[in-house]
Amino acid sequence: MSNIRTYINDTVEEMKERVSWPTYAELQRSSVLVLIGSLIFALVVGAMDFGFDSILTWFYNQF
């Protein structure tokens, strides 16, 4: 039981003292970048899906 208490206390101390947390402005900028990157990725994957679907539909209609 003592080991668990020591582990929890050490973890709390490390989170308070040693971890460098981002500022609110940095967090906002990072969130916006992730959102934009996700949207671009979704658009690229959607365009590829549409393209492959069109190509395969054309190909299957040839037979």
Side-chain angles (χ1 to χ4, degrees), residues 1-62:
M1 189 66 167
S2 173
N3 290 337
I4 295 173
R5 185 172 291 147
T6 301
Y7 172 77
I8 291 173
N9 287 337
D10 288 346
T11 302
V12 169
E13 179 186 343
E14 185 164 347
M15 296 298 277
K16 285 182 179 178
E17 304 291 329
R18 298 183 188 144
V19 173
S20 62
W21 296 98
T23 63
Y24 187 70
E26 291 171 335
L27 189 62
Q28 281 183 322
R29 281 194 302 269
S30 297
S31 298
V32 168
L33 286 175
V34 168
L35 179 64
I36 291 171
S38 298
L39 289 174
I40 290 171
F41 184 74
L43 288 173
V44 168
V45 170
M48 290 172 56
D49 180 48
F50 179 76
F52 284 128
D53 181 53
S54 298
I55 290 169
L56 289 174
T57 300
W58 172 82
F59 179 75
Y60 289 138
N61 287 334
Q62 298 302 311

